[in-house]
Every structure is written in C-alpha cells, then in structure tokens.
Amino acid sequence: MMELFWLLLPVAAASGWWAAKRSISRQEVTAAERSPGYFSGLNYLLNEQPDKAIDVFIKMLEVDSDTVETHLALGNLFRRRGEVDRAIRIHQNLIARPMLNREQRAQALLELGRDYMKAGLFDRAESLFNELGEMNMFQAQALENLLTIYQQEKDWEKCLQVAKRLEQRTGISRRRECAHYYCELAEEAQLRKDLVKTTKLLKKAHLSDESCVRATILQGRIEAMNGSPKSAIRTLRQVEKQDSAYLSEVLPEIIDCYRELGNRAELVKYLRKLYERHHSISSVLALTDFIQEDEGDEAALRFLSGYLHAHPHLEGLNRMVGLSLKSGHTDGWGSLQILQQVLTKLLDHRAAYQCVSCGFTAKTLHWQCPSCKSWSSIKPRDGLDEICPRLPPQIDQNPTLARHNP
C-alpha cells in the first residue's frame, strides 16, 4: 500500500496544482469548491482504495496539451510495476480524447501497444504497431516491438520482413539476426525432411552472415547424416575460424567423421594443431584418449595433469581422477573415489553455457539468449573462469606437455 501511495502522490500533487491553476482563472469559484476531487482522491488513497483514487485523479487531469505527458508517465509507471491493467486503462482513456494532436495520439498508441505486449495480448499490440506504420509515426520503435512479438510467436518469415525494414529505417545491420531466422526456417524444413529447402535456407543464412556458426554446424551435420564425412569435416572445421568458442560443440562430430573414414593419423595431427592453437579442454581430452591408447595411463595422466596446472577445469580434473584410479595409484584410493563422485555431481549440475552479453547461464546451448534476447551470445564456458581467474599459460615450461606437443 505504501508503495502505491508514493507512486500516486506525484499524480495527486499534479492534479491539485492543475485544479488550483484552473480555479485561479475562475475567480467566482469559492475556496471550498476549488479542488474537491483532489481531497476525494487522497481520501480514497488513504483508505486503501487505489482504483477509485486513480479514477478521480484521471478525471481531474483533463486531457489537454499540458497534461498528456502526465498521463503517459503515469501509465508507463504502472506498466513497469507490472500493473498492466491500470496502464492499459490510462492509455485507453488518453486515446479516447478527440483533442489529441497527431503526434500525441501516436505516442499513446505506442504506449498502449507496449501495455498489450506486457499483458501477452500480442494480436492487439501487433494491430497498434501496424497502425503506427500506416501513420508513418514512431516506425523504428513500432518495428522493434513487432520483431519482439514475431520472435515470441516464432513467425520467422515475418521476422525476416521486419528486420529488413528496420535495417532500412535505422541503418543498423540486422544480418546476424536474419541469419538465425534462416536457420530457424532451415530446422523446420529439416523436420519436414525437405533437404533441398533446408540447404537453400542455410545458404541464405551464410549469405546474410558468413560468420554464422549455427548455419555451419547445421550444414555439417546434414552432410554427416547423408554419408559424406569428408564434406562434413571440411564444413565443421570452419567453426574454428568463425568462432573458436564453439569448437567443443563440433569436435565430437569431427572425430566421429575421421573415425568413419578410418583416418586416425590425420585426426591426431589435427587435434595436436588444434591444441597448439587454442589449448581448449575439448582438444586436450581428445588427445588424452589417444595418448592413453598409444602410451598408457601413466603418460595420459602426466599430459593431463600438466595441462590442468596451467588451465584449471572441472571436466579435466574429473578425467585426471579417473585416470589416477585406473592407473593403480592406491594411495588415497578412497579419497579419490569420493573426489570423483563430488566432481561428477558438480559437472551434472553446472551451467555449461553463459551469455557473454547479460551473464545468463544454461545447461544447454541456446542460439538466442532467453534473458536479453541477443543472438549468438550464449557460448560454452571454458575452464574455471567463473570460479577463479585463469593462470598465465605455462605450457612451454612443462616438460610433459612439451614432449607431447607436435
């Protein structure tokens, strides 16, 4: 109640001021008759009847050139507080007044559309934003809101249309968003088993944004499923150039394709180069497997422990504990088993992905952040950066790692 009191107090003050101003211009009005509505509104407010208080204050603030901004501000305050019904009522009352000029009406329509969006009434909001487009008023804001609506409704064709109009209107590139809309349509076509349509849409995605990792991953997976491992390897390896943060997403599939071709030597060579360029945990764990196969548990353990000294990582630590148990290190056997159980639980519950824009964390990869709605901003989390700062690289100083480097 007190929060609402402080919210409505400025409105009551404005209403009192307006009533006083009006009464001064009408000298025949007695002091007792100057602003009876003002005291009535305060009485409703103090008696915890905010809806009646709002009605009184709105009636007192007759819509004219001096009070339109006050109505708009009051409605926006209610919307931000989550009291959408009140915001809608205020903005509807404003629009119903015939004396508004063209710009004031457009502003009220925009705010009412935002109210409807907040309430989840997308069809009504869409109608108002389209009306603003026909009026050629507040077009950029209206298009931004339409884009949000169509993304919510997953109407990707309309998203493409609106994004291109926005690009023309504002001069701000929407190529990244458009690439993702094409990818969304490609995934829908893939579900329908329309391979020709899927391929065309992925090409459009790459034409829109040549650095679109998502389109590359989708294309590589299609090639792998269609029995073309060489093409899949060639496509998926492009991810490193586009955004190396996503290497961990495609490396298992690249490894599977190399194994399908029976080209183990080429695979190990690729992994070593990958490790040398990025020191990523995904390449390190893959190399650990091959060192274990070729040289045994002890060599794999030395390699992995040397890496973890410079690059702390929960998944790497969990693998190291497993190797220690397997290699027959009986000292502290029970403690190692407990440590592995704890690490496994930590890995099961950790958020493997994080939005670089707003910090949102997730267990699975989202191409659009559910929090800030940015595209391509959620990436795999690397190491223990969220727990402790990364240590300076010490790869070259470690004799074990030096021995296994190409």
Side-chain angles (χ1 to χ4, degrees):
M1 178 60 197
M2 287 304 296
E3 288 183 6
L4 190 58
F5 176 82
W6 289 112
L7 175 67
L8 289 178
L9 192 56
V11 182
S15 302
W17 169 85
W18 181 87
K21 179 183 177 184
R22 191 180 179 194
S23 67
I24 289 171
S25 66
R26 296 167 53 200
Q27 297 296 329
E28 70 276 8
V29 179
T30 66
E33 296 173 325
R34 282 180 185 170
S35 54
Y38 173 71
F39 295 106
S40 176
L42 280 180
N43 185 55
Y44 283 132
L45 186 57
L46 293 171
N47 284 288
E48 300 188 11
Q49 294 178 287
D51 288 326
K52 290 184 177 180
I54 291 168
D55 288 336
V56 170
F57 292 140
I58 289 175
K59 287 176 182 176
M60 289 181 65
L61 283 170
E62 292 182 9
V63 179
D64 58 31
S65 58
D66 294 326
T67 61
V68 169
E69 292 299 325
T70 304
H71 280 79
L72 290 170
L74 180 59
N76 294 347
L77 278 171
F78 277 121
R79 184 175 67 237
R80 286 197 293 272
R81 282 171 51 89
E83 299 179 68
V84 184
D85 289 343
R86 288 172 175 161
I88 289 173
R89 196 167 71 202
I90 289 171
H91 290 135
Q92 284 178 334
N93 176 71
L94 192 59
I95 291 171
R97 304 303 175 109
M99 48 67 61
L100 294 183
N101 63 40
R102 187 167 177 269
E103 184 174 354
Q104 289 170 336
R105 176 176 171 75
Q107 181 71 55
L109 287 173
L110 178 64
E111 299 304 336
L112 182 58
R114 287 169 172 166
D115 295 340
Y116 285 144
M117 278 184 65
K118 184 83 171 179
L121 303 172
F122 292 149
D123 53 341
R124 295 186 186 182
E126 180 183 0
S127 176
L128 291 180
F129 295 138
N130 283 326
E131 184 177 342
L132 285 171
E134 293 169 3
M135 293 172 63
N136 198 27
M137 297 289 291
F138 298 103
Q139 285 204 339
Q141 296 95 319
L143 289 170
E144 286 282 4
N145 286 298
L146 280 173
L147 191 60
T148 300
I149 290 173
Y150 294 144
Q151 286 182 162
Q152 287 275 82
E153 295 177 339
K154 300 187 184 300
D155 192 335
W156 308 116
E157 291 284 3
K158 286 186 178 178
C159 283
L160 281 166
Q161 295 169 12
V162 172
K164 289 173 181 177
R165 287 169 62 192
L166 255 175
E167 196 170 50
Q168 293 173 352
R169 168 69 55 175
T170 65
I172 299 173
S173 174
R174 297 280 173 167
R175 298 177 71 83
R176 174 182 292 181
E177 291 96 322
C178 287
H180 279 284
Y181 302 150
Y182 283 123
C183 287
E184 292 284 353
L185 291 168
E187 288 183 348
E188 291 176 359
Q190 189 177 12
L191 287 174
R192 299 193 303 268
K193 301 187 184 303
D194 188 343
L195 184 59
V196 175
K197 182 73 171 176
T198 302
T199 303
K200 286 182 179 179
L201 288 166
L202 290 178
K203 285 181 179 178
K204 287 183 178 181
H206 276 127
L207 286 172
S208 179
D209 179 13
E210 61 182 11
S211 64
C212 183
V213 171
R214 183 183 186 182
T216 301
I217 293 175
L218 287 171
Q219 184 61 41
R221 287 173 178 170
I222 289 172
E223 291 166 349
M225 285 189 296
N226 289 337
S228 302
K230 282 187 177 180
S231 296
I233 290 171
R234 187 166 53 250
T235 299
L236 293 174
R237 284 180 59 164
Q238 294 300 312
V239 169
E240 181 185 1
K241 296 178 182 177
Q242 293 174 316
D243 192 336
S244 61
Y246 290 100
L247 272 172
S248 59
E249 293 298 307
V250 297
L251 192 56
E253 291 162 292
I254 292 174
I255 291 172
D256 287 343
C257 288
Y258 270 114
R259 283 176 171 162
E260 187 178 343
L261 292 170
N263 199 340
R264 187 180 188 276
E266 188 64 30
L267 171 57
V268 173
K269 181 180 177 182
Y270 169 67
L271 289 173
R272 289 186 183 280
K273 289 182 177 180
L274 206 58
Y275 164 73
E276 188 179 53
R277 288 193 290 266
H278 303 287
H279 301 119
S280 62
I281 187 62
S282 54
S283 61
V284 167
L285 293 179
L287 275 174
T288 299
D289 291 338
F290 286 108
I291 293 171
Q292 186 180 11
E293 290 175 12
D294 296 339
E295 304 178 40
D297 296 339
E298 290 285 351
L301 185 59
R302 287 194 300 271
F303 171 73
L304 187 54
S305 62
Y307 171 82
L308 291 174
H309 176 72
H311 304 275
H313 198 285
L314 281 178
E315 194 173 352
L317 182 58
N318 192 45
R319 179 71 68 86
M320 188 182 76
V321 172
L323 280 170
S324 297
L325 290 169
K326 190 173 183 297
S327 64
H329 290 178
T330 55
D331 293 340
W333 186 276
S335 298
L336 283 175
Q337 286 182 314
I338 293 171
L339 177 59
Q340 188 173 45
Q341 290 171 6
V342 171
L343 287 170
T344 300
K345 288 181 180 179
L346 283 172
L347 288 168
D348 287 342
H349 291 89
R350 72 166 181 162
Y353 302 89
Q354 185 169 22
C355 177
V356 297
S357 179
C358 71
F360 175 85
T361 57
K363 286 189 175 182
T364 56
L365 177 61
H366 299 265
W367 289 111
Q368 185 184 29
C369 176
S371 177
C372 68
K373 307 303 179 185
S374 300
W375 290 94
S376 295
S377 62
I378 292 186
K379 305 192 181 205
R381 299 172 91 175
D382 185 25
L384 297 181
D385 289 347
E386 65 274 17
I387 299 173
C388 61
R390 172 170 286 192
L391 299 174
Q394 299 179 18
I395 299 289
D396 294 338
Q397 286 73 29
N398 187 284
T400 303
L401 291 180
R403 184 168 62 252
H404 288 289
N405 275 338

